[in-house]
Amino acid sequence: MAIVLTGAMMEFPARWIDPIRAFVQTSEPIWVDPHVPDLGAVRVAVAWNPVPGRLRQFPNLEAVLCPGAGVDGILGDRDLPDVPIARTIDPGLILQMSQYILWATLDWVRQGDIYRHQQRSHHWQMLPLVDPRAVVVGILGLGVLGQDAATRLRAAGFTVRGWSRTPKSLAGVKCFAGADGLPELLRGCQVLVCLLPLTPETTGILNADTFAMLPQGAYVINVGRGAHLVEVDLQRAIAQGQIGGACLDVCATEPLPPDAPLWDCPNVTITPHAAALTSPAAIATHLDQLLSCLETNTPIPHLINRDRGY
Ligand code: NDP
Ligand code: OXD
C-alpha cells in the first residue's frame, strides 16, 4: 500500500510533505504526485484541489483524505472515483478561524481603520462607542467552524445569530435554518460572516439581494470560499453605502490578480486565504486514523456526503 499527496497547486503538498512525514506513524511509502512509481499501489490519496481526473488514475484507491475543512476542490472533479472522502478537523484551525472572525469583527466595530488613519495624520479624536450587545453578528454556516465562532463572538459580548441547512440549537445563539430562515437572519445583522461550504446552493449567496436585506452600512466577512461572493455586487453595494465594508479572506480567483478592482475598494480588507490553516500534525493524525480504519474495516471518521456537497 502507498499514499499519494496530490494537488493542482504542487507547492501546497510539497510545503507539507516533510512535516507530514515527520508526524505520520505509518510505514507506508508517501509519494508526492506526479512522482508515483506505481499507480496501482496507491490506496489512499491526500488531495488538495487535485487535477481533475487524476484520482481516477489510481485503480486501487480506497479513500481520499482532504487535508483541509472545505472539500469543494475535490468534489469539483467530475471524474471522481467512488471512494469515501474524509476531511480534516483540526482544533488549531478552528481556533485560528474564530480568532480571525473576532479580529475582523472587533476591528470593524472598534473602527480600527479610522483610528489608524487618524494616527497617520496625528489627529486625536474620539469616535462614538457602541454597546457590543447591540451589535448583531450573523453567521452563515453553523458547522464545526461556525459553531465555535458563534460561541466565541457571544462570549465577546455580541448578539449572535446563525444559519444552517437543518435546524440547530446553540446556547445563546438565535438559530435560523433553510431558505425561509435566511431573510429573518439577515434583517438587523450589522456584521455578516460567511462560513459556508461551497456547493451549488451556496454559490453566489453574498449578492445584491442578500446585501439589500441587511441594514444600511453592514459589514461582510467572507471566510468561506471566493465564489460565495458576487464581487461586483459587493463593489456596487459599497459604492452605494448599502454595505459599509468587508473583510475578504477568499476570492473567486486566487491569488487575487494585481489589477483586480477589489484591492482598491474602499473599506475592504483583503487577506490571502490566510484565516486558518490545517497543521501537518493534524493531517498526519487523520491519515493514520484513516489507514487504521481501512485496515480494521471500521468506520472512517469525518466522512463528507458527496450528494450534499460537504
Ligand atoms: P461544516 O461542514 O462543518 O459546516 C457547514 C455548515 O454550513 C453547516 O452548518 C451546514 O448546515 C451549513 N450549510 C451548508 N449548506 C447550506 C445551505 N444550503 N443553507 C444553509 N446552510 C448550509 O463546515 P466547516 O464549518 O468545517 O467549514 C465551513 C467552510 O469554511 C469550509 O467548507 C471552507 O469552505 C471554509 N474554510 C475556510 C478556511 C479559510 O482559511 N478561509 C479554512 C477552513 C475552512 P447543516 O449543519 O444543516 O448541515
Ligand atoms: C480549508 C481551507 O478548507 O484552508 O481548510 O480553506
Side-chain angles (χ1 to χ4, degrees):
M1 164 153 50
I3 294 140
V4 68
L5 301 189
T6 185
M9 297 142 79
M10 282 319 298
E11 111 284 351
F12 193 59
R15 171 154 59 95
W16 280 354
I17 177 78
D18 289 337
I20 289 176
R21 279 205 171 113
F23 288 115
V24 85
Q25 301 288 312
T26 181
S27 54
E28 306 300 333
I30 300 180
W31 297 326
V32 182
D33 217 7
H35 307 292
V36 182
D38 178 3
L39 292 174
V42 172
R43 284 179 57 201
V44 172
V46 180
W48 184 253
N49 296 328
V51 173
R54 181 55 171 159
L55 293 171
R56 170 73 70 185
Q57 291 170 354
F58 305 116
N60 298 313
L61 193 68
E62 289 178 25
V64 174
L65 175 66
C66 173
V71 291
D72 49 293
I74 295 175
L75 296 183
D77 181 350
R78 298 270 158 245
D79 201 19
L80 265 186
D82 188 16
V83 296
I85 300 169
R87 67 187 186 124
T88 307
I89 308 281
D90 177 0
L93 177 144
I94 297 170
L95 266 177
Q96 288 170 346
M97 179 57 84
S98 291
Q99 283 198 345
Y100 181 97
I101 293 165
L102 272 170
W103 161 69
T105 306
L106 287 167
D107 195 52
W108 174 251
V109 170
R110 300 309 302 246
Q111 305 174 90
D113 214 29
I114 302 178
Y115 279 127
R116 284 187 289 273
H117 181 78
Q118 284 191 180
Q119 183 177 352
R120 279 193 295 274
S121 48
H122 299 190
H123 181 60
W124 177 283
Q125 186 185 343
M126 187 190 178
L127 300 168
L129 281 162
V130 292
D131 182 334
R133 294 168 298 182
V135 177
V136 181
V137 183
I139 304 183
L140 305 181
L142 279 179
V144 171
L145 300 180
Q147 291 200 18
D148 191 75
T151 305
R152 292 179 194 282
L153 284 160
R154 174 95 183 101
F158 297 111
T159 295
V160 184
R161 299 177 180 174
W163 184 66
S164 49
R165 203 175 46 84
T166 55
K168 294 272 172 302
S169 156
L170 193 59
V173 176
K174 188 151 191 211
C175 296
F176 301 84
D180 294 346
L182 184 59
E184 271 188 274
L185 171 124
L186 295 173
R187 234 170 276 128
C189 263
Q190 284 108 326
V191 178
L192 182 68
V193 180
C194 177
L195 253 180
L196 290 163
L198 188 67
T199 68
E201 289 76 34
T202 65
T203 298
I205 193 163
L206 300 176
N207 59 38
D209 292 342
T210 301
F211 299 150
M213 284 187 252
L214 293 168
Q216 201 170 29
Y219 193 64
V220 174
I221 300 173
N222 188 17
V223 273
R225 287 291 183 257
H228 283 130
L229 173 68
V230 182
E231 289 174 0
V232 290
D233 284 7
L234 177 72
Q235 287 163 41
R236 201 168 297 134
I238 288 177
Q240 292 165 347
Q242 175 56 26
I243 294 296
C247 178
L248 309 176
D249 184 52
V250 285
C251 292
T253 305
E254 294 184 3
L256 184 63
D259 59 349
L262 216 45
W263 285 114
D264 301 309
C265 195
N267 297 336
V268 171
T269 298
I270 292 172
T271 53
H273 201 139
L277 191 65
T278 316
S279 72
I283 301 167
T285 306
H286 283 64
L287 182 55
D288 282 325
Q289 201 174 23
L290 188 151
L291 293 170
S292 133
C293 290
L294 289 177
E295 214 54 45
T296 54
N297 203 19
T298 47
I300 300 170
H302 312 310
L303 284 182
I304 61 110
N305 179 327
R306 280 166 77 151
D307 296 330
R308 214 176 47 176
Y310 64 97

